[in-house]
């Protein structure tokens, strides 16, 4: 069967596409082109006029150590959050997949954090770990640990990593659980009869069969930590102390909004945009070949 | 090599379903045992308990002299072929067959030798590099068989392995499985609800119903001397005719006008019984136990025809060679040999004579 449908009227197809095209234009192409345009310009000190400077914003960006520091921060942050949120979610999903009493309650509880808005999650964690008021912070100090994420950059980093991971586990858990439940039980049973112990069954049968899910989640999680953790960072640490938790995305906000450097901030946005495009392309390519077993 | 012994094995699932209610039987070393019964009677449950995939609620299962109740499937030295084949979709045919050997740390060159040997026996050598999704149903079936035979286990377990194949392939694979089992001399337990498979493949046939064993015996014994009404109607196609009758003082059973003389037995005159007549045991114009039947309609099957009629109000199906009877409406004189009659107690359903 030929899936193509012939339209007699040439305007009808355009008309049907119009809403989608308008949304894409207004909410993506317009701001994107604005960002590209501003990234070639510099605003004067009073914000009254702008001047075309070509690639200067980019040159400045790549010559400031702060930008490289943000890259390193992003790398540490995204690697940690991705690795922890994926592996913890997988562990929880494997446990939830077993037929246990109360599995329903357990699953629901695990899914809840996903319904919490990033900024709220951030505030929650901020309060729990706030050095003078937070319960957890008090507990830590009670045990003699010098906890102060407001001064200690590493501790601040740990805190945003924990908060961002906690937020993302639910999402990963849901996908992993669905993936696990899609694996026919007879495969596991057959492997058991074939002499594979539980750990070996997991690594030779379950994990390979979950790998499409895992890869999909990997890309989604990288995109998440790159772009969606802004709210959490802002609420928990505000990018500090001493920019220790300023990731690339947070820096766009910090420089543009707080620092008033619209041109530099726009240049950073453009770079981030290319990163998203690259990640999306990787994902699309993979999705096409995803039934590879 | 080892036989399998079941001793009052029970299974109650969570939620209180009594799937298997105290089953005992013995499969001697090297025998081919078929479990047959209607859907939901507990065949798969029983097989899965032998495999170790399902816990036993009570009773004992032994493979050889070893009670395996608490032993992991991996350590029972069995191989199982599942209805959906359960091939590992991400592994090649070769790796599927080799998986069990790899898990047991068999040396690489021996794995290779044995996988190729199994592939040769099953004529799947050209398929070794393919993934399961690139195979037809029949080829997948063979790979599943290959995975079972390569390990040279003590016992083969099969759960309806042929039910996803077309009729022709089913006949072919049926013969092949039986041959393989004989060649290897491995004890086999085979679950099916196909009675042709049950009759042709089994050395020992176990007929189950509602979690219990109805009868155990050779297929011929079960066909010739069904122990219960259930077995009588379950084995045989079309099923045995059952008509109500009364025992007479002269050692016969009366059904309406007709009298059926049985071999001498302990008779209780006046007792109501159910008389069983297999459609294929009834002959046209026989002199033994003759009776008349009005023909209601006739079904042509090619080699034979099924003649439908009534005997004292109860429906009777008669299977005779094609061309014996023409059309409905007439009356036909039938007969049946005394030793082909079956008598059941209507209350208990057990064989009465
Ligand atoms: N995991 C389970 N939990 C609860 N009840 C179950 C479970 N598995 C099977 N049963 C029940 O146990 C009974 C026997 O099931 P089983 O699968 O052994 O039947 P079967 O003889 O193999 O039937 P079929 O020919 O349809 O495969 C059925 O009533 C079924 O509903
Ligand atoms: Mg079954």
């Amino acid at each position: 069967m030929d899936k193509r449908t012939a339209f007699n009227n040439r305007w009808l197809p355009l008309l049907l596409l119009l809403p989608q095209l308008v949304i894409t234009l207004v909410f993506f192409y317009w701001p994107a082109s604005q960002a590209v345009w501003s990234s070639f310009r510099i605003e004067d000190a009073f914000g009254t006029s702008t001047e075309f400077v070509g690639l200067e914003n980019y040159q400045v960006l790549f010559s400031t150590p702060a930008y490289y520091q943000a890259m390193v921060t992003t790398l540490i942050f995204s690697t940690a959050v991705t690795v922890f949120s994926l592996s913890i979610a997988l562990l929880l999903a494997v446990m939830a997949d077993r037929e246990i009493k109360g599995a329903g309650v357990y699953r629901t509880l695990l899914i809840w954090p996903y319904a919490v808005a990033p900024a709220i999650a951030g505030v929650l964690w901020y309060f729990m770990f706030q050095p003078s008021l937070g319960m957890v912070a008090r507990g830590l100090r009670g045990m003699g640990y010098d906890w102060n994420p407001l001064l200690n950059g590493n501790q601040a980093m740990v805190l945003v990593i924990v908060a961002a991971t906690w937020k993302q586990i639910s999402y990963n858990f849901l996908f992993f659980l669905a993936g696990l439940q899609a694996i026919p039980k007879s495969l596991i049973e057959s492997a058991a009869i074939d002499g594979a112990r539980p750990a070996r069954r997991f690594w030779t049968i379950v994990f390979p069969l979950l790998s499409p899910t895992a890869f999909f989640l990997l890309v989604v999680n990288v995109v998440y930590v790159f772009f969606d953790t802004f709210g959490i960072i802002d609420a928990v640490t505000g990018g500090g102390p001493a920019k220790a938790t300023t990731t690339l995305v947070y820096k766009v906000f910090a420089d543009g909004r707080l620092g008033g450097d619209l041109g530099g901030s726009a240049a950073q946005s453009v770079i981030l945009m290319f990163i998203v495009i690259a990640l999306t392309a990787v994902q699309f390519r993979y999705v096409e070949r995803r039934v590879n077993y | 090599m080892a036989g399998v012994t079941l001793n009052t094995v029970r299974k109650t699932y969570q939620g209180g379903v009594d799937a298997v209610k105290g089953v005992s039987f013995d499969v001697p070393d090297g025998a081919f045992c078929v479990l047959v019964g209607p859907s939901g009677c507990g065949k798969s449950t029983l097989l899965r308990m032998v495999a170790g995939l399902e816990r036993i609620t009570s009773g004992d299962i032994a493979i050889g002299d070893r009670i395996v109740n608490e032993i992991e499937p991996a350590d029972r030295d069995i191989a199982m072929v599942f209805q959906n084949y359960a091939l590992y979709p991400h592994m090649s045919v070769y790796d599927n067959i080799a998986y069990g050997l790899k898990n047991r740390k068999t040396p690489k060159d021996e794995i290779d030798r044995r996988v190729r040997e199994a592939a040769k026996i099953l004529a799947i050598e050209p398929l070794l590099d393919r993934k399961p999704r690139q195979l037809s149903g029949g080829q997948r079936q063979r790979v599943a068989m290959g995975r079972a035979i390569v390990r040279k286990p003590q016992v083969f377990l099969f759960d309806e392995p042929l039910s996803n194949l077309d009729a022709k392939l089913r006949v072919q694979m049926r013969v092949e499985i039986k041959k393989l089992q004989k060649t290897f001399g491995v004890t086999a337990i085979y679950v099916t609800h196909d009675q042709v498979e049950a009759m042709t493949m089994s050395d020992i046939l176990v007929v189950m119903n509602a979690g219990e064993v109805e009868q155990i015996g050779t297929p011929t014994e079960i066909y010739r001397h069904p122990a219960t009404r259930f077995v009588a109607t379950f084995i045989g196609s079309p099923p045995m005719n059952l008509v109500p009758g009364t025992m007479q003082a002269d050692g016969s059973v009366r059904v309406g006008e007709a009298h059926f003389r049985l071999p001498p037995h302990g008779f209780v005159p006046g007792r109501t019984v159910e008389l069983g007549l297999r459609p294929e045991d009834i002959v046209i114009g026989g002199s033994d136990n003759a009776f008349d039947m009005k023909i209601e309609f006739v079904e042509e099957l090619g080699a034979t025809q099924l003649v439908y009629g009534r005997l004292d109000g109860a429906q009777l199906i008669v299977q005779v060679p094609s061309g014996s009877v023409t059309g409905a409406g007439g009356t036909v004189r039938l007969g049946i040999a005394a030793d082909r009659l079956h008598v059941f107690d209507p209350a208990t359903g057990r064989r009465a004579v």
Side-chain angles (χ1 to χ4, degrees), chain A residues 207-226:
Chain A
F207 193 72
L209 293 179
L210 269 186
S211 62
T213 310
F215 185 81
F216 163 79
L217 285 177
L218 180 69
V219 174
V220 169
N221 278 269
V222 169
V223 173
Y224 161 79
V225 283
F226 260 67

Side-chain angles (χ1 to χ4, degrees), chain B residues 39-40 42-45 83 159-160 191 193:
Chain B
S39 186
K43 308 179 293 285
S44 297
T45 304
Q83 180 173 359
D159 194 351
E160 307 200 24
V191 165
H193 53 232

Side-chain angles (χ1 to χ4, degrees), chain A residues 111-125 166-167 170 224 232:
Chain A
I111 292 160
W112 272 353
Y114 191 59
V116 180
I120 310 260
V123 171
L124 216 79
W125 285 91
W166 174 79
K167 186 72 185 60
S170 308
Y224 161 79
I232 286 181

Side-chain angles (χ1 to χ4, degrees), chain A residues 101 184-197 200-201 204-205 208-209 291-293, chain B residues 48 53 73-75 78-80 82 84 86-91 99-100 103-104 131 133 147 151:
Chain A
K101 269 196 192 145
K185 230 178 128 205
S186 60
L187 289 186
I188 314 295
E189 292 174 345
S190 183
I193 292 176
D194 265 344
R197 308 279 156 195
R200 187 161 163 83
R201 290 205 290 272
T204 56
I205 309 288
L209 293 179
V291 269
N292 64 347
Y293 58 73
Chain B
R48 291 167 57 80
L53 299 174
D75 302 323
I78 48 165
M80 182 155 168
F82 291 79
N84 65 0
L87 300 181
Y88 312 123
H90 56 298
M91 295 185 195
Y99 186 69
N103 289 337
R104 288 181 168 75
K131 292 279 172 69
R133 73 185 153 88
R147 212 165 56 175
R151 297 223 329 263

